[in-house]
Amino acid sequence: MWQNSPPGSLYDYIRVASFSLGPDGRIEQWSERAAELFGIAARQAVGKDPAEIFTPPEAHPRPGVPRQPSPFLREGGLDGREWTGIVPYQRGERCRPGLAEIYVMPTENERGERAALCVAVDVQALRGIETDIAASEAVFGQSPLGFFFFGTDLTLLRVNESFAQTFGRPAAWHRGRTPHDFLPRGEAERLTSALRQVLDSGKPVSDIQLVGPVPGQSERRRWSVSLYRLHSGSGRPIGVAALATDVTGRRRAEREAAGVRRNLALLNEAGARIGNSLDLETTARELLDVAVPQFCDLASVDLYQGLLAGDEAPPGLADGSAELRRVAYASAVSGAPVDGDDKPIQVGEVHRYAFHSPCAGALRTAQVQVVPRREREEGPELGGVVQSTLAVPMVARDTVVGLAQFSRTKGSEPFGERDTALAVELAARAAVCIDNARLYRREHERALILQRSLLPPGDPEAAGLDIACRYLPANAATEVGGDWFDVIELPGHRTALVVGDVMGRGLRAAVAMGELRTAVRTLAMLDLEPAEVLSALDEIAHGLGRPGGKQSASRGVRGGVRAEDLSEVYLATCVYAVYDPVTRRCTVANAGHLPPVLVEAGEPAMLLDVPPGMPLGVGGEPFEETEVDLPDGALLALYTDGLVESRDHPLDEGLQAFRDALTDPARPLEDVCDHVLSALDTHHGEDDIALLMARLRGLPEDHVGDWKLPPEPRSVARAREMARGLLLSWGLESLVDTTELLVSELVTNALRYGEGEIRLRLLLDRTLVCEVWDGGLVQPRRRRARDTDEGGRGLQLVGLLSAAWGSRRTPHGKTVWFELALPDGNSPAPDAVEALLSLY
């Protein structure tokens, strides 16, 4: 084909030159290539013997010496024979030596005379080309990489054996083929487009990823192909060379490495996000937030209903038949929750899995089960799009607490072994957190039961007092602490107000608080003075943390360990106040606690001047009492340090803020409590807060009857008469007979067993209280009289007819009292006759 562009053939590389010899053996024509190769212009070569051209000047014959026949004449060419030989030559003026391979071919001119056409090739260039071809053949044929060449028509010209093995067909089969012959259509079009681009632009393209089948292999292979354009010596494009590498294994390893990195990242995220809350449902949702959509498309968590209800989990493996509740569900696709055995299960629904279902099997065996995909005929429900599901039991401390299901929909990669292991790890982490939450919930509920059982009811009542109280734990999540308050009704309509604070917090402090509160109530029932109560309480607190509750008589070393190290130190502060609504007097003793605050009408709030004393548990220090006369309408506030103390401000500032918040004590008491809590910083979370507020109103004078009787027999009748008259004035006719009978018994006992003047007092408030005082120190003791005994039944009668009775010591003797419930119209008054008959 004729063309205008440079030839660009092999001769451009091997430096071929030509010249011709005439019949006389001299050079007749000298080509430009010959002038370029030998460095001799045509005017210098034409007409000369070739021997003169190709031999150095010193080798020329001297004048007078006969010239030897030219080898071109002697060995071929003009004698009709072809001749090939190696001829040395001197190139150019610098006389650089060289070798030329001369090929002499006989010819004839137009006159029929013998002539010769000579072709000369530079031996050095020829040997270099031969070396390059040998090296190229070695690389092309022996390289483990696949080489192949496309012509300008985008058909294969040549492939090496590595390429043939990579693509699964013999090397000869590929010659003349196009990409469509050995690649899928889409991949072939991509490669063809890249070949055309490289051929047109000359810019190489690297790492084209091609995927296709290989004959005789089931696995699809992946190749990386790089392309670059080939040029002739003149620069003309002659095709595209390509290098192909099978990267299937590398790609598989990259996917596995990426999967491992993804799984590690997912586990790291799970460790950071799962278990941040001690709530069962929240922990389950945290698991699904991690799993969807990073790990799966759908997921759900079912927990045993018994665990959610607070029941103890049985040790070992569950049988899978118990009720479960779906507590969490997440989906990256639209649709209903993950299928159950019969229908989709909604969040919050309680259900069971069929015994032979994979889910029940997972719960029963504590092993992962693969749930087979079920095609639905009734429509495009979720079961029809899920292609792979893992039922993973959630096991913590050898106990199955629930089941997690992870599902992938069609189009996602099915679960593999590594995915299964990751699912087990995710479920195990969540199971431990859920079990921790379950244990916390159980312990928390127990602690709450303990705490609530130890605190008084929300609206405690007492004679002559309006009471409001608040309790705020330091940590709203635990609601358990060491602060406590109590309102204890004492005989004679007196009331003990107690606020205490065990140092520390949590369950340990709550237990110590419970022990101290119980001790306070027990001591209060003995009707001891406030200072005596705190002294006895100090002894109890001092021995709480020691083995067996004993005092520290065992101080020393036992087995190399000091006894003090074996015990815990329980320290507490407490303020104990007793209010008498008849005398309107409050007696206060303090054990290292903050002093009460008193607010009187029209006066600023003030701290009661009460000796602080030492905290309970220190031991060895006496406590002092302070008596304060309080007017009606005054407000008394007892509190713990959590209300007024914080690291954000000093204690003095907190106390002043507390007093400022009590500037309007006439408001309803509940409103005063709320105002105090809102005005002070009660959400710092540093300590528990207990607040007990009492408005003092005393007993009206007309609700008190008080008489002194001489120690003589007629005082019994006098006592009955005065009691009858007072009850009739109060409108308590239904209690007259019972009161007369019991007053007679108590006054008679005072005459028989007591000493000195007798005092009778009747108090009316929420109940009717009768007190008989005398100077005797012997406390009455109830005993069971025998049928033949004439006496000994008085106190039994008192116990039968009264709501409560008892005795207490006084500074100058004792007081015996009984209490009667006021008639409410529904419950009849006790029948004295029936009570008397029951004693016999």
Side-chain angles (χ1 to χ4, degrees), residues 330-349:
S331 172
V333 296
S334 59
V338 177
D339 281 349
D341 293 331
D342 300 315
K343 63 178 181 178
I345 302 170
Q346 305 297 329
V347 174
E349 182 178 345

Side-chain angles (χ1 to χ4, degrees), residues 115-182:
L117 177 63
C118 301
V119 178
V121 180
D122 183 39
V123 173
Q124 184 178 3
L126 184 62
R127 296 297 180 264
I129 291 175
E130 290 177 349
T131 301
D132 292 343
I133 292 175
S136 300
E137 285 294 327
V139 172
F140 187 83
Q142 300 175 21
S143 172
L145 305 177
F147 283 102
F148 55 105
F149 303 137
F150 281 94
T152 54
D153 58 353
L154 302 186
T155 60
L156 279 171
L157 300 178
R158 188 179 179 188
V159 302
N160 67 350
E161 286 298 327
S162 296
F163 176 89
Q165 294 176 3
T166 298
F167 284 84
R169 289 184 177 89
W173 179 90
H174 292 85
R175 189 179 300 275
R177 304 281 184 175
T178 66
H180 289 82
D181 294 323
F182 56 90

Side-chain angles (χ1 to χ4, degrees), residues 644-815:
V644 296
E645 189 174 21
S646 171
R647 62 170 61 97
D648 297 329
H649 55 75
L651 178 60
D652 291 342
E653 290 185 10
L655 287 172
Q656 185 60 49
F658 181 34
R659 284 179 285 176
D660 293 342
L662 296 173
T663 54
D664 188 9
R667 300 168 59 184
L669 205 55
E670 294 291 336
D671 294 346
V672 175
C673 280
D674 294 337
H675 175 67
V676 168
L677 295 181
S678 62
L680 276 67
D681 179 19
T682 59
H683 302 287
H684 49 71
E686 298 173 16
D687 199 0
D688 307 325
I689 295 174
L691 174 63
L692 177 62
M693 305 187 73
R695 177 171 287 122
L696 314 175
R697 52 183 175 84
L699 285 180
E701 292 184 2
D702 57 354
H703 281 213
V704 178
D706 195 347
W707 305 276
K708 293 182 180 181
L709 302 172
E712 55 189 32
R714 64 179 182 176
S715 294
V716 177
R718 177 63 179 161
R720 287 199 305 267
E721 180 182 351
M722 289 185 295
R724 171 183 287 273
L726 188 58
L727 262 62
L728 290 176
S729 68
W730 287 343
L732 300 176
E733 292 84 355
S734 60
L735 297 181
V736 169
D737 294 339
T738 303
T739 303
E740 281 188 307
L741 178 61
L742 299 184
V743 166
S744 297
E745 289 293 334
L746 295 189
V747 174
T748 300
N749 286 343
L751 289 172
R752 181 176 299 178
Y753 304 108
E755 299 178 4
E757 187 179 48
I758 299 173
R759 181 181 177 187
L760 172 64
R761 189 167 73 167
L762 292 178
L763 306 175
L764 176 62
D765 194 75
R766 294 181 299 114
T767 61
L768 175 65
V769 174
C770 176
E771 298 176 322
V772 176
W773 306 31
D774 67 74
L777 299 177
V778 178
Q779 297 290 325
R781 182 175 62 88
R782 182 178 177 181
R783 65 182 180 86
R784 180 174 296 279
R786 293 173 295 184
D787 294 342
T788 58
D789 291 342
E790 295 183 0
R793 295 179 177 87
L795 292 181
Q796 293 187 46
L797 185 62
V798 173
L800 287 173
L801 295 178
S802 65
W805 77 277
S807 67
R808 66 179 185 272
R809 293 179 300 170
T810 64
H812 306 290
K814 68 177 182 295
T815 301

Side-chain angles (χ1 to χ4, degrees), residues 386-576:
V386 173
Q387 71 157 346
S388 181
T389 298
L390 296 177
V392 186
M394 305 180 72
V395 183
R397 301 177 182 90
D398 297 329
T399 299
V400 178
V401 299
L403 181 74
Q405 294 187 67
F406 305 101
S407 300
R408 288 180 179 175
T409 58
K410 293 179 180 178
S412 299
E413 186 177 354
F415 290 113
E417 293 183 3
R418 185 176 290 106
D419 296 322
T420 302
L422 177 60
V424 171
E425 179 66 22
L426 288 175
R429 293 194 179 196
V432 171
C433 295
I434 286 175
D435 194 55
N436 289 339
R438 176 186 66 84
L439 295 175
Y440 167 77
R441 175 181 290 186
R442 184 190 66 186
E443 298 303 322
H444 183 214
E445 290 176 353
R446 292 177 178 177
L448 283 181
I449 294 173
L450 171 65
Q451 181 88 354
R452 291 165 182 169
S453 67
L454 295 177
L455 292 176
D459 298 314
E461 297 180 353
L465 295 173
D466 293 329
I467 296 176
C469 52
R470 296 290 187 273
Y471 175 78
L472 299 176
N475 186 350
T478 61
E479 300 183 13
V480 176
D483 290 11
W484 90 92
F485 63 90
D486 209 346
V487 178
I488 307 171
E489 294 188 77
L490 301 176
H493 282 321
R494 295 172 303 136
T495 303
L497 303 176
V498 188
V499 169
D501 182 3
V502 176
M503 296 183 184
R505 63 181 61 180
L507 187 58
R508 173 184 176 275
V511 171
M513 176 270 288
E515 296 183 13
L516 293 178
R517 178 180 180 271
T518 302
V520 169
R521 279 191 159 266
T522 303
L523 295 171
M525 288 297 100
L526 297 177
D527 209 2
L528 302 176
E529 296 297 324
E532 293 178 314
V533 171
L534 293 186
S535 295
L537 196 62
D538 178 56
E539 292 294 325
I540 294 172
H542 194 62
L544 278 182
R546 288 169 172 77
K550 299 179 180 179
Q551 303 301 320
S552 56
S554 60
R555 292 184 183 270
V557 177
R558 295 184 299 172
V561 180
R562 294 182 1 178
E564 294 90 335
D565 298 333
L566 299 175
S567 63
E568 297 180 89
V569 177
Y570 285 85
L571 295 177
T573 62
C574 179
V575 61
Y576 185 90

